[in-house]
Amino acid sequence: MEKPKFKTVQEVVAAGEGLLERYLHAPIGDGEVQPLNAAVPEMDIPAIDLNLLLSSSEDGREELSKLHSALSTWGVVQVMNHGITEPFLDKIYKLTKEFFALPTEEKQKCAREIGSIQGYGNDMILWDDQVLDWIDRLYITTYPEDQRQLKFWPQVPLGFRETLHEYTMKQRIVIEQFFKAMARSLELEENSFLDMYGESATMDTRFNMYPPCPMPDKVIGVKPHADGSAFTLLLPDKDVEGLQFQKDGKWYKAPIVPDTILINVGDQMEIMSNGIYKSPVHRVVTNREKERISVATFCIPGADKEIQPVDELVSEARPRLYKTVKKYVELYFKYYQQGRRPIEAALI
Ligand code: OGA
Ligand code: NI
């Protein structure tokens, strides 16, 4: 398979080429432009106890209502008590850092191929005059197991493959529990979303590296977007901030809460919940001194599944907002390319 000729951000920096035009965001309009790295307030989202969400106690009900309130406003929660131990999460962080610290030739063994989304590479170039994100990534489909393409799974650092497999299996439990909790928080039968999500659902894990950036005011780590998943599990860097969420047109930074998994609603969950749970627009800003890493897992409904608002959430008072969609991720890229919010395509 042909490997594309691209330069990762790490290579651009190492070559000392200065900042390429391709990463610079042109000022919008004539007025003063807010620097991309301007200080923003911290968002006020709760840490939710996953274990408690599944209990039928009084405390459990209270936790469900906290979940409901956070997902219907921000679309984001920090999940604690998720059953994945701190040493295990630390191993993921460590392996991620070790992978990106490898020599280019070693990383290129897992390089993305033309026409593929999986593998190691820079921001995908989807259109000609695209301003590139200041990010390198390793993108891997981890589930179902028969869809794995091991050529994209690093053999170095040692233990990467085994650990990613183990992480995938641990996340599956969290995913199932979180779907059940969301259903319960909307007073639905526990499996309402899981049934639609399907047995054939896919998990894609994206290891992200944001190298230090000489112009954090004009260069962005990840452009504003909402995720095309049902929801996304994110391990944000434990030391370096950068992730921001938008609410009512303003940006807020996500707090760093050790040992929690950040879960944000994606477009397909917004559709299934008939718009009650919001798929938030978010972005990543860059940092002049420090590199930042993160690990995102996208939970994507099976390609054979029709995704639509669950019947119980449609009523005269709350009419159906979204059409039935299938293979939403394909539609997602088409809209993304045009700089539009993909979920608009699903609106009735
Ligand atoms: C993403 C994303 C956030 C981060 O990969 O879709 O939003 O903190 N990542 O890297
Ligand atoms: Ni995202």
Side-chain angles (χ1 to χ4, degrees), residues 167-179:
Y167 184 43
T168 303
M169 295 307 157
K170 289 179 195 291
Q171 286 182 107
R172 278 181 52 74
I173 299 167
V174 176
I175 292 166
E176 187 178 318
Q177 292 176 338
F178 196 72
F179 266 123

Side-chain angles (χ1 to χ4, degrees), residues 206 208 210 222 225 227 234 243 282 284 292 294 296 298:
R206 195 165 105 171
N208 300 311
Y210 306 88
V222 178
H225 68 285
D227 292 349
L234 184 78
L243 177 60
H282 53 286
V284 177
R292 177 176 184 274
S294 69
F298 304 100

Side-chain angles (χ1 to χ4, degrees), residues 82-198:
H82 41 64
I84 306 182
T85 65
E86 183 181 353
F88 187 82
L89 291 181
D90 283 341
K91 197 151 95 177
I92 308 269
Y93 282 112
K94 184 163 167 280
L95 286 166
T96 307
K97 287 190 178 153
E98 283 173 2
F99 173 78
F100 286 107
L102 291 170
T104 304
E105 309 79 70
E106 187 60 44
K107 285 179 289 203
Q108 290 288 357
K109 289 180 185 166
C110 310
R112 194 169 69 215
E113 293 165 351
I114 286 170
S116 161
I117 183 170
Q118 284 196 70
Y120 166 68
N122 62 341
D123 189 11
M124 292 260 279
I125 301 179
L126 296 168
W127 64 96
D128 282 346
D129 56 352
Q130 179 181 344
V131 178
L132 293 181
D133 291 348
W134 192 258
I135 185 175
D136 295 336
R137 54 179 64 141
L138 172 66
Y139 193 112
I140 296 176
T141 296
T142 56
Y143 200 86
E145 287 182 60
D146 64 6
Q147 279 185 32
R148 290 182 180 175
Q149 289 189 272
L150 283 180
K151 62 183 172 188
F152 298 121
W153 292 56
Q155 278 178 299
V156 197
L158 242 84
F160 191 102
R161 287 184 169 189
E162 294 75 7
T163 307
L164 181 54
H165 170 74
E166 214 182 312
Y167 184 43
T168 303
M169 295 307 157
K170 289 179 195 291
Q171 286 182 107
R172 278 181 52 74
I173 299 167
V174 176
I175 292 166
E176 187 178 318
Q177 292 176 338
F178 196 72
F179 266 123
K180 288 186 174 170
M182 282 194 294
R184 293 178 55 184
S185 73
L186 291 161
E187 283 162 28
L188 299 170
E189 197 279 314
E190 216 173 50
N191 288 319
S192 303
F193 297 127
L194 271 173
D195 287 345
M196 206 177 281
Y197 181 64

